Amino acid sequence: MFLRNAWYVAAEGREVGRTLLHRRLLDEPVLLYRGEDGAPVALADRCCHRHAPLSKGLLEGDRVRCGYHGFLYEPSGVCVEIPDRDRIPPGARVRSYPVCEREDWIWIWMGDPARADASLVPTYYTNRPGRWKSVPGYLPVASSYLLLVDNLLDLSHVSFVHANTIGSRDDKNPELVWDRGDRWVRGTRTVRGMAPSPRQMQDGADFPIDQTKIMTYTAPADVFIDIWTREASVPAGQAMRHDTTQLILDFLTPETATTAHYFWSNVRNYKLDDDAYSTYVDRLMVRAFEEDRAMLEAQQANSDPRLPMIDVVGDSGSLQARRLLDRLIAEEQRLASAAA
Amino acid sequence: MFLRNAWYVAAEGREVGRTLLHRRLLDEPVLLYRGEDGAPVALADRCCHRHAPLSKGLLEGDRVRCGYHGFLYEPSGVCVEIPDRDRIPPGARVRSYPVCEREDWIWIWMGDPARADASLVPTYYTNRPGRWKSVPGYLPVASSYLLLVDNLLDLSHVSFVHANTIGSRDDKNPELVWDRGDRWVRGTRTVRGMAPSPRQMQDGADFPIDQTKIMTYTAPADVFIDIWTREASVPAGQAMRHDTTQLILDFLTPETATTAHYFWSNVRNYKLDDDAYSTYVDRLMVRAFEEDRAMLEAQQANSDPRLPMIDVVGDSGSLQARRLLDRLIAEEQRLASAAA
Amino acid sequence: MFLRNAWYVAAEGREVGRTLLHRRLLDEPVLLYRGEDGAPVALADRCCHRHAPLSKGLLEGDRVRCGYHGFLYEPSGVCVEIPDRDRIPPGARVRSYPVCEREDWIWIWMGDPARADASLVPTYYTNRPGRWKSVPGYLPVASSYLLLVDNLLDLSHVSFVHANTIGSRDDKNPELVWDRGDRWVRGTRTVRGMAPSPRQMQDGADFPIDQTKIMTYTAPADVFIDIWTREASVPAGQAMRHDTTQLILDFLTPETATTAHYFWSNVRNYKLDDDAYSTYVDRLMVRAFEEDRAMLEAQQANSDPRLPMIDVVGDSGSLQARRLLDRLIAEEQRLASAAA
C-alpha cells in the first residue's frame, strides 16, 4: 500500500529523452520519454489492446506507437490511431501521469490527477542563496523504500557502514533533537570535535571538526540532509580553517513492495567548478551507497515480520516517520472509500 | 486448464531418437524416445517408485531403466523388473501416452487413451497435390500458448514486429473475412498491390504484389497459414512474373500455463531442391519468430488480468478461437465430471 | 516441521574460525564463529534491532558487533552495548544456540536449550578401537534432507548411480535385515562374491569380494554406514588378501524444507598415513556425492506430492526411518503444546 497522492521522483532528467524508458513505479509499469519540445511524458507502459509494453514501440513525434499491433497514443494517453481502418473504441487509452521537472529530476504523480499541484514539487538547492554544485546519482535497491528511509534517519549507521568512505569512526554520541510537522519529521544532530572522514581529509580538514546534520523526512519518500561541517572549537567570531555545507538529497521511490529506486544528489557550496572533485564525489557517493545497498538488501532478505524488533532512542526519527506515513496512507484510503 | 482429449505436437521427429528426451507438456513431465524399430514412445517422466525422472536413466532395447534404483519399464509403461529380487507390486507402472508420427512431428494424446484416434492427426502438406519442401523449426517461449494463437490470428502485427524480416510495412488494410466450424476458425486476408517484403525481394519480386493468407486455427493449438503471393494487378489469364505458395504450420503446445513450445514449419512449392535457399528460410524464420518471442514474453510479463483489454475488429479471429476453445474445455470438464 | 530437540551438524570444524560464517539451519539464519579460546559460538544471525545479519558485522574479541548500527553481542546472545549512549532495553538479545565440537564437526541444538545434553552428541570413530583416518567433505543439496536419508538407507541405488565411482554393478541381491530401537533404524546388508568397485581395485582387490554394510539411521538426520570388505570365499580362519573397514558418516542437516547441507566423512582403518590416497578418497567421494546430488535435485524438482509412490521391499529401512521421525516430531509438538 503506497501513498498515491504525492510527488515521487520517476527518473533523473538526464535519463529521459527521445528513446523510450521503462520504469516500474509503485508497482506499475511506466513509460517515460520527452516530446519534441523536451517536455517529459509519463504513460502507463501497457497498451490498452493486449497489454504489450509501449516501451517496446517507437516514438512518432510527440506520440508513441505500440510495437505489437501499432496502436498510436498521444501524450494525453488517448489512442488516436488503430491500423487496418479499425474504429477507435471508446476507452482506448492508457493512463497519463502528471509529471514535472525540477532540478535534476522528473517527478511523477501517481494518484488522482486532479490533485496534482506542480507548485508542491520541492526544490532543494536552486532556490537557496549562494552557488551550488549538484552531483546526482542512482542505484536500484532490492529492499523496501521504507528501509532506505530508516537508514537515512538513523545516522548512527554512518560510522559503521561507511567508515571507509563518507563516515568517521568518531561520528558518535551526538546531540540529537527531533521535531515534526504535518507531513515532515526533522532531526538536528550535532557531533563536536570528531576526527575527519576520508572525504573531509580530502577537503583539507586534517584536524578535528564539528558537524551538524539536519535530516528532514518529507512524506512519502524524500529525505533531505543539510550538513554543516566546520573546524572544531573555534570561538564565535574567529576565522575557521574549514567551513562547508553539503546538501544530501535522497529520493526513495518504491519500485515494488520490496524493491526501490534510490535517487540522490550530493550538493555542495565549495569547489564549484572543480570537475575532478565532482568526479571524486560522484564515485565516493556511489561507493558509499553501494555499502548501504549491500546492508539493506541483506536486511530485507533477513527480516522476519513474525519476529519483534527492539527499538532504541536512535530510532526515534524513523518511528515518527513511519507513523506519519501510516497516518497519511490511512487518510488517503478513507477518502478513497468515501468517494466510492 | 488445458484441453486434454486432443493431439498436440510433442517434438520434432528429428529431436527424438535413442537418447532420452525430457519435455514438459501440459504441465506434465514427459519422456520421449524411439524403440529399436524407430517407433516413438512417450512415458510419464516420473518413476512410480520415488518420482525420479526416467530421462536420467538408460535405454535397454525398447525399455527404459530408471537411473536411481533401476526400475525397468516397457513402452506400455508397465514396470517389468525391480532390482534385488523385489516383487513387482500391482500398480508399478507409469503412464504411457499415445503418440503418432506425421510429417515432421511426433504428436501426443494426453487425455483419455481410449479416445485417441490416430486418423485425426492432421497432415498439412504431404497429402496436398504438388511437390513441397518443409523447413521446420522450434523455439521455447515464456508466454502462454494462447498469446501465440492470438499472435498468429491477428496478422496486423506483421508489418510492425517483422518489418525487417518477413513483413512488409505495406501489409495493411486487408480485406478480411472469418468463418468457422465446430473445432476451427478461419480467416481469409487479402492485401493488394503491396511492396514486397525482404523475403519476397530475395525471391525476385521487386515489384508490387498481391497476397492472400488463409489462417486456420484448429483447436486446441494449431494454426495453419496458407499464403499465396503473386504479382499485383495482372489481369486474369495473363502470365505472372511471381506466383508462389507458402504454408506456415504453427503448433503451439503448452509447456505450463505461462510457457509454450513453438513448433513450426515453412513449407514452399518453389526452389524445392535449393539447399542454400532452405538455409536462408530457416534462419529468416528463426529471426522472425525470435521477434515474436521477444514481444510475447514482454506481453506475458506485462499483462495484468485485473485490467481490461480493448478489443478491436482485428481481434475477431482470436476472440472466436478463444471462445471455441473455452467451449471445448468446458464440454470436456462436464464429461469428466459426469463420468466421475 | 523439523525435530528441534536434537543435535544437528552445523558445520565442519575447519570451516569455523575467527571470521563470521552464515549458515541457514532448520530454516533459521545462524551465525558461527570461534571465541578467542577457540570455542565455537552459534547465534541467531539477525540483529534484534532491525534484523540485519550479524554475519555482516565484525568480531571484537569474543563478541560480535552488528555492522549496521553497532549493537554488540556476547556469545550468550545478550546485547551489551548500543552506540550513542542508548540505554539497553530489556529483551535486547539474540538467541544463542548450544554447540558442541566432536570429531570433525560442530553440532548445534536448535530446540529447548535446557534439554541440550552434550553427552548425547555422537562420536563415530575416535572412541573406536584401532587407528582411523577421516576424510570429511561437504556439499549443499537442493533437496529435502529426507531424500538424502532415503538415499542412504536404500543402497540398491549404488550399482546404478555410482557404477563409475564407489559402486560395483554387481552390488545386487543382498542379504538384508532390519532392526530398530527407540531413535534408530539399522540395516545389515551383505553381498557375497561380487566384482570389486573402482575404489576396491585401487585398493588392490582385483578379485571377488564379500561386503557387509551396516547402515544405522539415528533420528533426525544421521546415517552411519559401517562397511566391511573382504576377499570372497575364504574359509574361516584362513588368511585373506583383502580385509578393510570403511565408516561412512553422513549428517544431513536441513537448510530449508527443500534444501539440505550434506556433511560426510569417509573414515578408514588402512593406508592411514598415505596422503596421496586420502586425496584420492576425497575426490572420489565428492564425485560420488555429486552423482547423488544430481539425482536428488532432479527427484526433488520432479516429485509431485499429489501422486502416489510405489513402495517395495527395498524401501523398508527408509519407511521405518520416516515413521520413527514422524513419531518423534509429533511427540515434540505434543509436548510443546502441553507446555504452552
Side-chain angles (χ1 to χ4, degrees), chain C residues 125-157:
Chain C
Y125 66 90
T126 49
N127 62 351
R128 191 172 167 125
R131 282 183 63 213
W132 299 90
K133 172 67 186 176
S134 170
V135 181
Y138 167 74
L139 277 178
V141 179
S143 84
S144 161
Y145 74 111
L146 297 171
L147 296 188
L148 277 156
V149 171
D150 292 349
N151 170 280
L152 291 159
L153 294 180
D154 183 358
L155 296 180
S156 73
H157 82 273

Side-chain angles (χ1 to χ4, degrees), chain C residues 229-250:
Chain C
T229 307
R230 56 211 184 275
E231 186 179 357
S233 310
V234 178
Q238 222 173 293
M240 285 179 184
R241 283 178 294 171
H242 190 84
D243 182 355
T244 63
T245 296
Q246 277 179 54
L247 314 175
I248 305 195
L249 282 50
D250 302 287

Side-chain angles (χ1 to χ4, degrees), chain B residues 45-46 48-50 84 86, chain C residues 173 299 302 310-311 313 315:
Chain B
D45 192 14
R46 187 188 277 126
C48 68
H49 175 225
R50 286 297 176 263
D84 293 354
D86 248 338
Chain C
N173 302 325
Q299 182 193 12
N302 208 48
I310 294 289
D311 297 328
V313 175
D315 299 310

Side-chain angles (χ1 to χ4, degrees), chain B residues 152-197:
Chain B
L152 291 158
L153 294 180
D154 183 358
L155 296 181
S156 74
H157 82 273
V158 171
S159 65
F160 297 102
V161 174
H162 305 304
N164 300 315
T165 51
I166 56 171
S168 160
R169 289 201 180 275
D170 231 20
D171 186 4
K172 290 184 178 165
N173 302 325
E175 301 155 29
L176 175 54
V177 291
W178 292 93
D179 61 340
R180 62 173 185 265
D182 189 47
R183 289 179 73 96
W184 55 266
V185 170
R186 182 173 58 197
T188 303
R189 183 183 194 281
T190 300
V191 177
R192 294 179 206 279
M194 74 173 170
S197 72

Side-chain angles (χ1 to χ4, degrees), chain A residues 4-5 12 18 24 36 64 81 96 99 111 115 138 142 154 189 205 207 237-238 245-246 253-254 296 303 307 337:
Chain A
R4 299 196 66 87
N5 286 320
E12 293 185 17
R18 293 290 293 163
R24 194 160 196 90
E36 291 186 309
V64 59
E81 187 187 313
S96 172
V99 284
R115 294 170 172 267
Y138 167 74
D154 183 359
R189 183 184 193 281
F207 39 75
Q238 221 171 298
T245 297
Q246 278 179 52
T253 309
L296 290 164
S303 271
L307 298 182
S337 304

Side-chain angles (χ1 to χ4, degrees), chain A residues 287-329:
Chain A
R287 206 140 59 83
F289 292 156
E290 288 279 13
E291 290 168 338
D292 284 315
R293 166 152 83 164
M295 183 57 77
L296 290 164
E297 296 186 348
Q299 182 194 13
Q300 175 78 41
N302 208 47
S303 271
D304 186 336
R306 297 165 305 178
L307 298 182
M309 288 184 176
I310 295 288
D311 297 328
V312 293
V313 175
D315 299 309
S316 172
S318 67
L319 290 173
Q320 290 181 62
R322 295 272 192 131
R323 266 195 300 270
L324 172 60
L325 181 59
D326 287 346
R327 174 175 59 75
L328 292 174
I329 292 174

